[in-house]
Amino acid sequence: MARLFGTDGVRGLANGLLTAELALQLAQAAAVVLGHERAENGTRPRAVVARDPRASGEFIAAAVEAGLSSSGIDVYDAGVLPTPAAAYLIADLDADFGVMISASHNPAPDNGIKFFARGGQKLPDEVEDAIEAQLGKEPSRPVAGDVGRIQRFSDAEDRYIVHLLGTLPHRLEGLKVVLDCANGAASGCSPQVFASAGAEVVVIGAEPDGLNINDGVGSTHLGQLKEAVVKHGADFGIAHDGDADRCLAVDHEGNEVDGDQIMAILALALKESGKLKDDVLVATVMSNLGLKIALRDAGITIRETAVGDRYVLEAMRDGGFSLGGEQSGHVIFSDYATTGDGVLTGLQIAAQVAGTGRTLQDLARAMTKLPQLMINVKGVDKSRAATDEGVAAAVAAAELELGDTGRVLLRPSGTEALVRVMVEASDMETATRICTELAGVVEDRLAIPRELAL
């Protein structure tokens, strides 16, 4: 049977894969696995539960809280909050663990359940496997005064906002910022924190109705933000996704500033202030080669990981590094957060614009993005991508031609029968030619025989 936990919790169609029954059972299983330490010490374990504003989050949260409290866990219901806020509050409250109910940047019909350990840390695979193994076993069933209690975490958002404001080196007076909250979890706190920091704020995508999350707005749909920044003459714009663990930006002319450019700006700033641990940035293999070139010239090393913010986090924890992230806008400041935080990232970008007096466009010129093309080659045997001699020879020839001016990346999909072929080069014509040629080799060499495909 396929593993229930994916790369970021349990996610699927609400009331399809993700039912109230499954939510209840997952909560009961998590109570056993994550709540045992305090229970063994004779005190009742505590958990923080938060969600994004999807309509399905209401019944899923109710099921999760029922599963936890019936298993002897005291529940702090934090309501609608960003994922990084939930992670922060778990640590701030010294809770045993926490649950975030969100499907991040996915459309409204989807939802997900993500567990955090003590301190707001993401769970390692083996702990997720232990929760999954506990499903179907007899849950903990305390009675009388030993059942858990559910209470509203009334100052949850305020605590998070105070924390965010405490990360700023100075105030943001003089800046005009457009915020796109994706009709998601940051719709309340992001405008409030930017305004409290002194910025003039224009807000779009901040009217969640339970069904419009990520619908034509947010970090996956930047069109409205680009228009609003230009229309209002703003200094720049910030886009969150549904649970606000991502941040992308738009400069004053409406040009996109992606996660790689954001990391370049922030890594250079941290190095200058002496706060970039070991002068290392942690990024995934998908980050643009232009980022590595720009930071190398500034004396900063990139530590590469597999794709996924959990792998970035693992590398950051292992090395004690202070900054990491992904091209998609997951940016992690280990001094302030245990996961990607889109509101925090937006504030730090704003602080750099305000503190330097430079435009975001000028700051983003710290790196030059190399042209990049990716082709998904479908219907192939992805298990042979790393071992086929013909594919290896074609990749080697491409890398020899590109030299230091580009790179090749072949990445089998984790969920589909396809291989992603990505090529970066000094110009798009070269990237297109080499990527197309390599995709053809992959398709020919790794084709699944017709009789097996049927």
Side-chain angles (χ1 to χ4, degrees), residues 127-273:
V127 177
E128 290 181 339
D129 289 341
I131 293 173
E132 192 164 336
Q134 183 65 28
L135 289 173
K137 295 182 180 179
E138 184 66 19
S140 175
R141 296 189 187 278
V143 297
D146 292 329
V147 299
R149 306 298 297 271
I150 301 172
Q151 61 181 292
R152 175 76 174 130
F153 198 163
S154 59
D155 63 342
E157 186 171 87
D158 291 340
R159 287 196 193 196
Y160 177 56
I161 288 172
V162 169
H163 161 66
L164 291 174
L165 291 171
T167 70
L168 283 173
H170 47 73
R171 291 181 57 78
L172 306 179
E173 273 86 5
L175 290 185
K176 186 174 185 178
V177 183
V178 180
L179 299 176
D180 182 347
C181 299
N183 290 320
S187 296
C189 64
S190 187
Q192 185 175 340
V193 76
F194 272 87
S196 297
E200 180 182 351
V201 178
V202 177
V203 184
I204 64 173
E207 297 180 357
D209 62 9
L211 303 175
N212 61 357
I213 190 169
N214 301 314
D215 187 7
V217 289
S219 61
T220 52
H221 303 89
L222 293 175
Q224 290 192 46
L225 179 61
K226 293 177 180 180
E227 292 176 4
V229 167
V230 174
K231 174 184 175 182
H232 292 281
D235 293 290
F236 58 90
I238 295 295
H240 305 306
D241 63 338
D243 70 335
D245 64 353
R246 293 188 188 190
C247 170
L248 293 180
V250 169
D251 69 23
H252 67 285
E253 293 184 343
N255 302 303
E256 179 179 342
V257 179
D258 70 10
D260 286 340
Q261 293 166 297
I262 290 170
M263 287 191 289
I265 293 168
L266 298 175
L268 291 169
L270 287 175
K271 178 177 170 58
E272 184 177 350
S273 64

Side-chain angles (χ1 to χ4, degrees), residues 5 8 17 41 58 68 80 83 87 98 123 131 170 186 204 247 257 274 292 326 380-381 393 445 448 451:
F5 282 86
D8 206 16
L17 168 70
N41 293 330
E58 298 169 4
L68 294 177
V80 174
T83 291
L123 301 186
I131 293 173
H170 47 73
I204 64 173
C247 170
V257 179
K292 181 181 288 189
E326 296 186 279
V380 294
D381 182 359
R445 297 283 305 185
I448 300 174
E451 60 272 17

Side-chain angles (χ1 to χ4, degrees), residues 14 32 36 59 64 72 93 98 110 126 134 175 211 275 304 329 343 394 420:
V32 172
H36 65 88
F59 78 76
V64 166
L93 190 66
D110 292 339
E126 58 268 23
Q134 183 65 28
L175 290 185
L211 303 175
K275 296 180 180 178
E304 285 190 340
V343 184
R420 307 186 198 282

Side-chain angles (χ1 to χ4, degrees), residues 1-3 7 43 71 94 124 134 144 148 164 182 203 217 223 239 252 254 273 276 340 354 373 384 400 418 433 451:
M1 187 176 72
R3 188 172 187 265
T7 56
T43 56
S71 300
D94 190 29
Q134 183 65 28
L164 291 174
V203 184
V217 289
H252 67 285
S273 64
L276 187 66
L373 181 67
R384 295 192 291 116
L400 182 63
L418 62 84
R433 174 177 57 80
E451 60 272 17

